[in-house]
Protein backbone atom coordinates (compact mmCIF):
# COMPACT_ATOMS: atom_id res chain seq x y z
CA UNK A 1 0.00 0.00 0.00
CA UNK A 2 1.32 3.42 -0.90
CA UNK A 3 1.59 5.90 1.94
CA UNK A 4 1.34 9.64 1.38
CA UNK A 5 3.92 12.05 2.72
CA UNK A 6 3.10 15.41 4.26
CA UNK A 7 5.79 17.92 3.37
CA UNK A 8 5.22 21.38 4.89
CA UNK A 9 8.85 22.51 4.97
CA UNK A 10 8.48 25.33 2.47
CA UNK A 11 5.41 26.77 4.17
CA UNK A 12 6.69 26.22 7.70
CA UNK A 13 10.27 27.50 7.60
CA UNK A 14 9.42 31.20 7.24
CA UNK A 15 7.15 30.94 10.29
CA UNK A 16 9.62 29.21 12.63
CA UNK A 17 9.23 30.90 16.04
CA UNK A 18 12.01 31.80 18.44
CA UNK A 19 12.19 29.22 21.21
CA UNK A 20 12.15 30.30 24.86
CA UNK A 21 14.74 27.73 25.93
CA UNK A 22 16.92 25.00 24.52
CA UNK A 23 15.02 21.71 24.69
CA UNK A 24 16.09 19.24 27.32
CA UNK A 25 15.10 16.42 24.98
CA UNK A 26 15.19 17.70 21.43
CA UNK A 27 14.06 14.39 19.87
CA UNK A 28 10.98 14.25 22.08
CA UNK A 29 10.11 17.87 21.33
CA UNK A 30 10.48 17.34 17.59
CA UNK A 31 8.42 14.17 17.73
CA UNK A 32 5.68 15.92 19.69
CA UNK A 33 5.36 18.88 17.36
CA UNK A 34 5.73 16.71 14.28
CA UNK A 35 2.91 14.53 15.54
CA UNK A 36 0.81 17.62 16.08
CA UNK A 37 1.65 18.80 12.58
CA UNK A 38 0.39 15.53 11.11
CA UNK A 39 -2.71 15.37 13.29
CA UNK A 40 -3.71 18.96 12.74
CA UNK A 41 -3.16 19.04 9.02
CA UNK A 42 -4.89 15.69 8.62
CA UNK A 43 -7.93 16.82 10.55
CA UNK A 44 -8.70 19.36 7.82
CA UNK A 45 -10.27 16.41 6.01
CA UNK A 46 -12.60 15.89 8.96
CA UNK A 47 -14.02 19.39 8.66
CA UNK A 48 -14.13 19.27 4.86
CA UNK A 49 -16.23 16.11 5.10
CA UNK A 50 -18.33 17.69 7.82
CA UNK A 51 -19.12 20.63 5.52
CA UNK A 52 -20.40 18.20 2.91
CA UNK A 53 -22.56 16.44 5.48
CA UNK A 54 -23.94 19.74 6.71
CA UNK A 55 -24.90 20.57 3.16
CA UNK A 56 -26.58 17.18 2.79
CA UNK A 57 -28.49 17.88 5.98
CA UNK A 58 -29.63 21.22 4.53
CA UNK A 59 -27.97 23.19 7.28
CA UNK A 60 -27.95 26.96 6.94
CA UNK A 61 -25.03 28.35 4.99
CA UNK A 62 -23.40 29.85 8.09
CA UNK A 63 -22.71 26.37 9.42
CA UNK A 64 -21.29 25.10 6.13
CA UNK A 65 -19.06 28.13 5.69
CA UNK A 66 -17.84 27.76 9.26
CA UNK A 67 -16.94 24.10 8.71
CA UNK A 68 -14.95 24.98 5.61
CA UNK A 69 -13.16 27.72 7.50
CA UNK A 70 -12.30 25.27 10.27
CA UNK A 71 -10.71 22.97 7.68
CA UNK A 72 -8.53 25.84 6.54
CA UNK A 73 -7.59 26.62 10.11
CA UNK A 74 -6.50 23.03 10.70
CA UNK A 75 -4.24 23.20 7.67
CA UNK A 76 -2.70 26.38 9.02
CA UNK A 77 -2.24 24.71 12.41
CA UNK A 78 -0.33 21.97 10.63
CA UNK A 79 1.99 24.55 9.15
CA UNK A 80 2.40 26.33 12.50
CA UNK A 81 3.28 23.07 14.23
CA UNK A 82 5.65 22.31 11.37
CA UNK A 83 7.23 25.71 11.96
CA UNK A 84 7.99 24.67 15.54
CA UNK A 85 9.52 21.43 14.24
CA UNK A 86 11.78 23.50 12.00
CA UNK A 87 12.66 25.85 14.88
CA UNK A 88 13.68 22.80 16.90
CA UNK A 89 16.01 21.68 14.12
CA UNK A 90 13.77 19.03 12.62
CA UNK A 91 12.11 18.82 9.23
CA UNK A 92 8.41 19.52 8.74
CA UNK A 93 7.97 16.36 6.77
CA UNK A 94 6.36 13.11 7.84
CA UNK A 95 4.05 10.34 6.74
CA UNK A 96 0.55 11.72 6.37
CA UNK A 97 -2.43 10.32 8.19
CA UNK A 98 -4.14 7.49 6.44
CA UNK A 99 -7.28 8.50 4.58
CA UNK A 100 -10.43 7.48 6.38
CA UNK A 101 -14.00 8.07 5.31
CA UNK A 102 -16.36 10.12 7.44
CA UNK A 103 -19.07 7.81 8.81
CA UNK A 104 -22.24 8.36 6.80
CA UNK A 105 -24.53 6.94 9.50
CA UNK A 106 -26.90 5.61 6.88
CA UNK A 107 -29.21 4.19 9.56
CA UNK A 108 -30.53 7.64 10.49
CA UNK A 109 -31.68 10.80 8.74
CA UNK A 110 -29.13 13.39 7.56
CA UNK A 111 -29.68 15.72 10.50
CA UNK A 112 -29.05 13.02 13.06
CA UNK A 113 -26.10 11.72 11.04
CA UNK A 114 -24.31 15.05 11.03
CA UNK A 115 -25.24 15.66 14.66
CA UNK A 116 -23.52 12.43 15.63
CA UNK A 117 -20.35 13.56 13.88
CA UNK A 118 -20.51 17.05 15.36
CA UNK A 119 -20.87 15.52 18.80
CA UNK A 120 -17.74 13.45 18.30
CA UNK A 121 -15.65 16.08 16.56
CA UNK A 122 -16.56 19.32 18.30
CA UNK A 123 -18.19 18.54 21.62
CA UNK A 124 -15.76 15.75 22.49
CA UNK A 125 -12.44 15.87 20.61
CA UNK A 126 -12.14 19.62 20.11
CA UNK A 127 -13.44 20.39 23.58
CA UNK A 128 -10.75 18.17 25.07
CA UNK A 129 -8.22 19.91 22.84
CA UNK A 130 -9.31 23.28 24.24
CA UNK A 131 -8.51 22.06 27.75
CA UNK A 132 -5.19 20.43 26.83
CA UNK A 133 -3.89 23.30 24.72
CA UNK A 134 -5.19 25.86 27.19
CA UNK A 135 -3.25 24.27 30.03
CA UNK A 136 -0.09 23.97 27.96
CA UNK A 137 -0.39 27.61 26.96
CA UNK A 138 -0.68 28.69 30.57
CA UNK A 139 2.49 26.81 31.44
CA UNK A 140 4.50 28.34 28.61
CA UNK A 141 6.40 31.62 29.01
CA UNK A 142 5.42 34.66 26.98
CA UNK A 143 6.99 34.72 23.55
CA UNK A 144 6.70 33.63 19.96
CA UNK A 145 6.04 29.98 20.76
CA UNK A 146 3.25 30.89 23.13
CA UNK A 147 1.82 33.11 20.39
CA UNK A 148 1.66 30.04 18.15
CA UNK A 149 -0.17 28.15 20.84
CA UNK A 150 -2.52 31.07 21.41
CA UNK A 151 -3.49 31.17 17.75
CA UNK A 152 -4.16 27.46 17.69
CA UNK A 153 -6.06 27.55 20.98
CA UNK A 154 -8.19 30.43 19.77
CA UNK A 155 -9.23 28.49 16.69
CA UNK A 156 -9.89 25.32 18.68
CA UNK A 157 -12.24 27.30 20.90
CA UNK A 158 -14.19 28.19 17.78
CA UNK A 159 -14.25 24.54 16.68
CA UNK A 160 -15.56 23.38 20.04
CA UNK A 161 -18.14 26.13 20.25
CA UNK A 162 -19.41 25.18 16.82
CA UNK A 163 -20.58 21.91 18.29
CA UNK A 164 -22.09 23.37 21.43
CA UNK A 165 -23.92 26.02 19.41
CA UNK A 166 -25.18 23.36 16.99
CA UNK A 167 -26.68 21.33 19.82
CA UNK A 168 -28.23 24.39 21.40
CA UNK A 169 -29.65 25.68 18.14
CA UNK A 170 -31.26 22.32 17.31
CA UNK A 171 -32.14 21.20 20.79
CA UNK A 172 -35.76 20.45 19.98
CA UNK A 173 -34.69 18.05 17.22
CA UNK A 174 -32.25 16.01 19.32
CA UNK A 175 -33.29 12.41 19.90
CA UNK A 176 -31.78 11.95 23.32
CA UNK A 177 -32.13 8.19 23.50
CA UNK A 178 -30.53 7.57 20.13
CA UNK A 179 -27.78 10.13 20.56
CA UNK A 180 -27.10 8.63 23.96
CA UNK A 181 -26.46 5.29 22.29
CA UNK A 182 -24.06 6.96 19.89
CA UNK A 183 -22.33 8.76 22.75
CA UNK A 184 -21.37 5.41 24.28
CA UNK A 185 -19.39 4.62 21.14
CA UNK A 186 -18.07 8.15 20.76
CA UNK A 187 -16.80 8.31 24.34
CA UNK A 188 -14.97 5.00 23.94
CA UNK A 189 -13.44 6.20 20.68
CA UNK A 190 -12.38 9.46 22.32
CA UNK A 191 -10.79 7.77 25.28
CA UNK A 192 -8.86 5.34 23.09
CA UNK A 193 -7.61 8.16 20.88
CA UNK A 194 -6.54 10.39 23.74
CA UNK A 195 -4.79 7.68 25.73
CA UNK A 196 -2.96 6.47 22.62
CA UNK A 197 -1.63 9.98 22.08
CA UNK A 198 -0.86 10.62 25.74
CA UNK A 199 1.56 7.79 26.50
CA UNK A 200 2.84 7.49 30.05
CA UNK A 201 6.48 8.26 30.61
CA UNK A 202 8.73 11.09 29.59
CA UNK A 203 9.67 14.13 31.60
CA UNK A 204 7.81 16.74 29.61
CA UNK A 205 9.05 20.22 28.81
CA UNK A 206 6.26 22.73 29.52
CA UNK A 207 8.20 25.72 28.18
CA UNK A 208 8.23 24.03 24.79
CA UNK A 209 4.70 22.68 24.90
CA UNK A 210 5.76 19.12 25.61
CA UNK A 211 3.38 17.79 28.21
CA UNK A 212 3.63 14.62 30.23
CA UNK A 213 1.22 11.87 29.43
CA UNK A 214 0.10 11.44 33.03
CA UNK A 215 -0.81 15.11 33.40
CA UNK A 216 -2.52 15.12 30.03
CA UNK A 217 -4.58 12.10 30.95
CA UNK A 218 -5.67 13.67 34.22
CA UNK A 219 -6.79 16.79 32.39
CA UNK A 220 -8.56 14.71 29.74
CA UNK A 221 -10.65 12.94 32.37
CA UNK A 222 -11.30 16.23 34.12
CA UNK A 223 -12.55 17.80 30.91
CA UNK A 224 -14.91 14.91 30.22
CA UNK A 225 -16.25 14.41 33.70
CA UNK A 226 -16.33 17.98 35.00
CA UNK A 227 -17.38 19.89 31.90
CA UNK A 228 -18.41 17.88 28.85
CA UNK A 229 -20.79 15.48 30.57
CA UNK A 230 -22.58 18.19 32.57
CA UNK A 231 -22.88 20.31 29.43
CA UNK A 232 -24.39 17.45 27.41
CA UNK A 233 -26.70 16.57 30.28
CA UNK A 234 -27.76 20.21 30.36
CA UNK A 235 -28.82 19.85 26.76
CA UNK A 236 -30.91 16.81 27.59
CA UNK A 237 -28.50 14.10 26.43
CA UNK A 238 -27.82 11.11 28.72
CA UNK A 239 -24.07 11.65 28.75
CA UNK A 240 -23.34 10.39 32.26
CA UNK A 241 -24.92 7.05 31.47
CA UNK A 242 -23.15 6.92 28.11
CA UNK A 243 -19.77 7.58 29.77
CA UNK A 244 -20.42 4.94 32.38
CA UNK A 245 -21.35 2.44 29.67
CA UNK A 246 -18.91 3.64 27.02
CA UNK A 247 -18.08 1.16 24.33
CA UNK A 248 -21.39 -0.68 24.56
CA UNK A 249 -23.77 0.21 21.74
CA UNK B 1 2.47 28.10 36.84
CA UNK B 2 1.71 24.94 38.74
CA UNK B 3 0.16 22.12 36.76
CA UNK B 4 -2.89 21.90 39.00
CA UNK B 5 -3.54 25.60 38.62
CA UNK B 6 -3.12 25.46 34.86
CA UNK B 7 -5.50 22.50 34.68
CA UNK B 8 -8.11 24.26 36.77
CA UNK B 9 -7.93 27.38 34.64
CA UNK B 10 -8.07 25.35 31.44
CA UNK B 11 -11.18 23.54 32.65
CA UNK B 12 -12.72 26.84 33.63
CA UNK B 13 -12.06 28.17 30.14
CA UNK B 14 -13.60 25.06 28.60
CA UNK B 15 -16.61 25.40 30.84
CA UNK B 16 -17.09 28.96 29.69
CA UNK B 17 -16.73 28.38 25.97
CA UNK B 18 -18.97 25.32 26.02
CA UNK B 19 -21.72 27.21 27.79
CA UNK B 20 -24.65 28.10 25.60
CA UNK B 21 -27.58 30.04 26.80
CA UNK B 22 -29.71 27.07 25.89
CA UNK B 23 -27.98 25.09 28.62
CA UNK B 24 -28.95 27.76 31.07
CA UNK B 25 -32.54 27.65 29.93
CA UNK B 26 -32.50 30.82 27.83
CA UNK B 27 -32.71 31.47 24.13
CA UNK B 28 -29.40 32.11 22.44
CA UNK B 29 -29.08 34.66 19.70
CA UNK B 30 -27.79 32.73 16.69
CA UNK B 31 -24.79 33.83 14.68
CA UNK B 32 -23.67 36.25 17.38
CA UNK B 33 -20.46 34.42 18.10
CA UNK B 34 -19.04 32.92 14.94
CA UNK B 35 -15.66 31.31 15.30
CA UNK B 36 -13.37 34.25 14.39
CA UNK B 37 -14.61 36.29 17.29
CA UNK B 38 -14.99 33.51 19.78
CA UNK B 39 -12.14 34.49 22.01
CA UNK B 40 -13.10 38.14 22.09
CA UNK B 41 -16.76 37.35 22.59
CA UNK B 42 -15.97 34.98 25.40
CA UNK B 43 -13.90 37.64 27.09
CA UNK B 44 -16.55 40.30 26.70
CA UNK B 45 -19.17 38.01 28.11
CA UNK B 46 -16.95 36.73 30.88
CA UNK B 47 -18.87 38.15 33.81
CA UNK B 48 -22.18 36.94 32.49
CA UNK B 49 -20.74 33.55 31.68
CA UNK B 50 -19.18 33.24 35.10
CA UNK B 51 -22.54 33.67 36.74
CA UNK B 52 -24.04 31.04 34.50
CA UNK B 53 -21.13 28.67 35.01
CA UNK B 54 -21.70 28.64 38.70
CA UNK B 55 -25.35 27.92 38.10
CA UNK B 56 -24.87 25.11 35.58
CA UNK B 57 -21.76 23.19 36.60
CA UNK B 58 -20.49 21.63 39.79
CA UNK B 59 -17.37 23.28 41.22
CA UNK B 60 -14.28 22.53 39.20
CA UNK B 61 -11.46 21.05 41.25
CA UNK B 62 -9.05 21.58 42.82
CA UNK B 63 -10.09 24.92 44.26
CA UNK B 64 -12.35 27.49 42.72
CA UNK B 65 -10.63 30.27 44.64
CA UNK B 66 -7.50 29.97 42.53
CA UNK B 67 -9.29 30.61 39.26
CA UNK B 68 -8.47 33.71 37.35
CA UNK B 69 -9.94 34.69 34.04
CA UNK B 70 -8.17 32.43 31.61
CA UNK B 71 -9.88 33.91 28.61
CA UNK B 72 -9.39 37.61 29.16
CA UNK B 73 -6.29 38.09 27.08
CA UNK B 74 -6.39 41.39 25.25
CA UNK B 75 -3.38 40.45 23.15
CA UNK B 76 -4.82 37.20 21.92
CA UNK B 77 -5.66 36.99 18.24
CA UNK B 78 -9.30 36.78 17.39
CA UNK B 79 -8.91 33.48 15.61
CA UNK B 80 -9.22 34.77 12.08
CA UNK B 81 -6.70 32.82 10.06
CA UNK B 82 -4.07 34.97 8.46
CA UNK B 83 -3.70 35.13 4.73
CA UNK B 84 -2.47 31.69 4.01
CA UNK B 85 -1.20 30.16 0.83
CA UNK B 86 0.77 27.21 2.03
CA UNK B 87 -0.04 23.87 3.50
CA UNK B 88 -2.98 22.87 1.39
CA UNK B 89 -3.54 19.38 0.16
CA UNK B 90 -0.92 19.92 -2.52
CA UNK B 91 1.62 19.44 0.24
CA UNK B 92 0.64 15.81 0.48
CA UNK B 93 2.61 13.82 -2.03
CA UNK B 94 2.65 10.18 -2.88
CA UNK B 95 5.70 8.61 -1.30
CA UNK B 96 5.99 6.47 -4.41
CA UNK B 97 6.85 3.32 -2.57
CA UNK B 98 4.85 0.47 -1.11
CA UNK B 99 4.15 1.04 2.54
CA UNK B 100 6.21 4.19 3.06
CA UNK B 101 5.98 3.74 6.83
CA UNK B 102 8.44 0.90 6.56
CA UNK B 103 10.60 2.52 3.89
CA UNK B 104 12.46 5.11 6.00
CA UNK B 105 14.82 6.12 3.21
CA UNK B 106 13.59 9.69 2.66
CA UNK B 107 14.28 10.56 6.29
CA UNK B 108 17.63 8.92 6.84
CA UNK B 109 19.09 12.16 8.20
CA UNK B 110 16.81 11.90 11.22
CA UNK B 111 17.48 8.52 12.76
CA UNK B 112 15.72 9.22 16.03
CA UNK B 113 12.47 9.78 14.20
CA UNK B 114 12.71 6.63 12.19
CA UNK B 115 13.63 4.46 15.09
CA UNK B 116 10.29 5.49 16.47
CA UNK B 117 8.47 5.17 13.18
CA UNK B 118 9.77 1.64 12.82
CA UNK B 119 8.07 0.73 16.06
CA UNK B 120 4.89 2.77 15.77
CA UNK B 121 2.50 3.69 12.97
CA UNK B 122 2.90 7.31 13.97
CA UNK B 123 5.22 8.94 16.44
CA UNK B 124 3.17 9.50 19.55
CA UNK B 125 4.45 11.94 22.07
CA UNK B 126 1.74 13.86 23.81
CA UNK B 127 0.06 15.12 20.68
CA UNK B 128 -3.66 14.40 20.79
CA UNK B 129 -4.58 17.53 18.86
CA UNK B 130 -6.72 17.42 15.78
CA UNK B 131 -9.97 15.52 15.88
CA UNK B 132 -9.91 12.06 14.35
CA UNK B 133 -12.71 10.87 12.11
CA UNK B 134 -15.73 10.10 14.30
CA UNK B 135 -16.64 6.49 14.92
CA UNK B 136 -19.44 4.71 13.18
CA UNK B 137 -22.23 3.26 15.27
CA UNK B 138 -22.35 -0.49 14.85
CA UNK B 139 -25.15 -2.02 16.81
CA UNK B 140 -24.38 -5.36 18.36
Amino acid sequence: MTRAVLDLRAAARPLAPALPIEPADRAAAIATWRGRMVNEHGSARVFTALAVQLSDARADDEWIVAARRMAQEERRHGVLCGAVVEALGGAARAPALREEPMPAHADVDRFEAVTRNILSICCLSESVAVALIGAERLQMPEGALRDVLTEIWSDEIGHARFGWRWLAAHRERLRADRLGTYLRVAFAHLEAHELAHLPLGGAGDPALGVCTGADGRALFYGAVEQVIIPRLEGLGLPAADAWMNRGAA
Amino acid sequence: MQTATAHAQALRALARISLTFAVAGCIEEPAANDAPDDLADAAVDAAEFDALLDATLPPITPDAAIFVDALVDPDAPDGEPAEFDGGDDAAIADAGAPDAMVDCGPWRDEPEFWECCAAHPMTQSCNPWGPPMPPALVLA
Side-chain angles (χ1 to χ4, degrees), chain A:
Chain A
M1 188 178 75
T2 299
R3 185 69 183 277
V5 173
L6 176 64
D7 189 347
L8 297 177
R9 289 175 296 181
R13 280 176 182 161
L15 302 176
L19 301 178
I21 60 168
E22 283 295 306
D25 185 341
R26 188 176 299 275
I30 289 173
T32 292
W33 284 96
R34 188 182 268 133
R36 289 169 176 171
M37 176 189 85
V38 172
N39 271 347
E40 290 288 283
H41 195 279
S43 64
R45 296 171 188 156
V46 175
F47 288 107
T48 299
L50 185 64
V52 173
Q53 285 200 328
L54 286 162
S55 179
D56 290 345
R58 301 183 184 280
D60 290 345
D61 282 349
E62 66 160 310
W63 299 101
I64 300 167
V65 170
R68 290 179 184 145
R69 183 177 58 225
M70 292 189 286
Q72 180 74 349
E73 288 167 349
E74 294 290 5
R75 290 191 189 94
R76 176 165 171 81
H77 296 175
V79 173
L80 290 173
C81 293
V84 181
V85 173
E86 293 282 335
L88 287 162
R93 175 178 162 88
L97 288 182
R98 287 189 168 83
E99 294 257 12
E100 289 180 82
M102 177 79 91
H105 302 299
D107 56 313
V108 293
D109 66 36
R110 296 304 79 203
F111 168 77
E112 188 168 333
V114 78
T115 299
R116 284 181 179 177
N117 289 335
I118 289 171
L119 264 175
S120 174
I121 296 164
C122 302
C123 301
L124 302 189
S125 294
E126 294 290 56
S127 293
V128 169
V130 166
L132 291 172
I133 297 170
E136 288 189 20
R137 175 179 169 275
L138 288 168
Q139 293 181 281
M140 187 179 285
E142 295 282 353
L145 186 56
R146 178 164 164 155
D147 291 344
V148 168
L149 216 53
T150 298
E151 178 175 345
I152 294 172
W153 184 59
S154 172
D155 291 340
E156 303 293 2
I157 285 172
H159 302 180
R161 286 190 82 183
F162 179 96
W164 296 107
R165 288 195 300 115
W166 174 268
L167 294 184
H170 300 92
R171 187 174 182 179
E172 73 285 355
R173 296 179 66 185
L174 303 179
R175 290 283 306 271
D177 54 339
R178 292 157 60 129
L179 288 173
T181 301
Y182 180 70
L183 271 174
R184 294 182 180 189
V185 176
F187 272 133
H189 180 260
L190 175 75
E191 185 179 39
H193 176 79
E194 298 294 330
L195 297 189
H197 287 76
L198 291 167
L200 296 174
D205 201 346
L208 292 173
V210 181
C211 64
T212 65
D215 287 345
R217 289 180 177 201
L219 184 53
F220 159 65
Y221 285 110
V224 170
E225 293 171 353
Q226 296 183 52
V227 180
I228 293 173
I229 288 173
R231 284 281 176 263
L232 292 172
E233 291 277 346
L235 288 159
L237 301 180
D241 177 77
W243 176 247
M244 194 174 300
N245 295 288
R246 58 192 180 275

Side-chain angles (χ1 to χ4, degrees), chain B residues 29-101:
Chain B
E29 285 292 326
N33 40 14
D34 282 339
D37 295 322
D38 276 329
L39 202 58
D41 286 349
V44 168
D45 296 332
E48 187 174 13
F49 275 17
D50 272 342
L52 289 169
L53 284 185
D54 295 336
T56 59
L57 278 182
I60 293 173
T61 56
D63 180 3
I66 65 174
F67 295 140
V68 298
D69 189 354
L71 279 180
V72 177
D73 185 347
D75 297 325
D78 64 7
E80 183 68 53
E83 196 65 31
F84 178 57
D85 296 323
D88 61 13
D89 285 340
I92 299 177
D94 191 322
D99 199 348
M101 285 307 290

